[in-house]
Amino acid sequence: MRFDEKDSKDPRIKRTYDLYLFEEGTVPQAPNVNGVYILYDDVANVVYIGSARQGEMQDRLREKLKDGACSKAKFRQIFETKTLEDARQIEKEWVKK
């Protein structure tokens, strides 16, 4: 999947956060919100799409840092959603692309 900027215009998305390096030092800067996160490789290909509930986003990102399947991930982007249900539905839709 290649993420399309029009995907971020989904009305269920409350806020789109800037792209950050995906490394341990940037995890504490991640907002702990309901949302979807996308991990990208160094040429902006999507490596992983996940969702997290409020209060767990940083924990999810730390888990993915340790996950060998995400070892190619170099950047992360977070999309805050209005509800956890919205985040899970968007995750499913984006994974299917």
Side-chain angles (χ1 to χ4, degrees), residues 19-57:
L19 198 65
Y20 275 88
L21 285 174
F22 182 56
E23 55 189 27
E24 186 62 41
T26 65
V27 171
Q29 298 166 353
N32 267 321
V33 295
N34 289 321
V36 179
Y37 58 96
I38 300 180
L39 304 180
Y40 302 94
D41 67 11
D42 56 352
V43 292
N45 292 313
V46 173
V47 174
Y48 186 84
I49 299 173
S51 62
R53 72 178 67 228
Q54 187 168 349
E56 294 182 358
M57 183 67 74

Side-chain angles (χ1 to χ4, degrees), residues 8 13 15-20 26-27 29-40 50 52 57-58 61 75-81 94:
S8 66
I13 295 175
R15 179 176 176 188
T16 301
Y17 290 84
D18 291 336
L19 198 65
Y20 275 88
T26 65
V27 171
Q29 298 166 353
N32 267 321
V33 295
N34 289 321
V36 179
Y37 58 96
I38 300 180
L39 304 180
Y40 302 94
M57 183 67 74
Q58 292 177 8
L61 292 172
F75 300 96
R76 62 144 168 100
Q77 191 166 25
I78 295 172
F79 300 86
E80 182 178 354
T81 58
W94 288 358

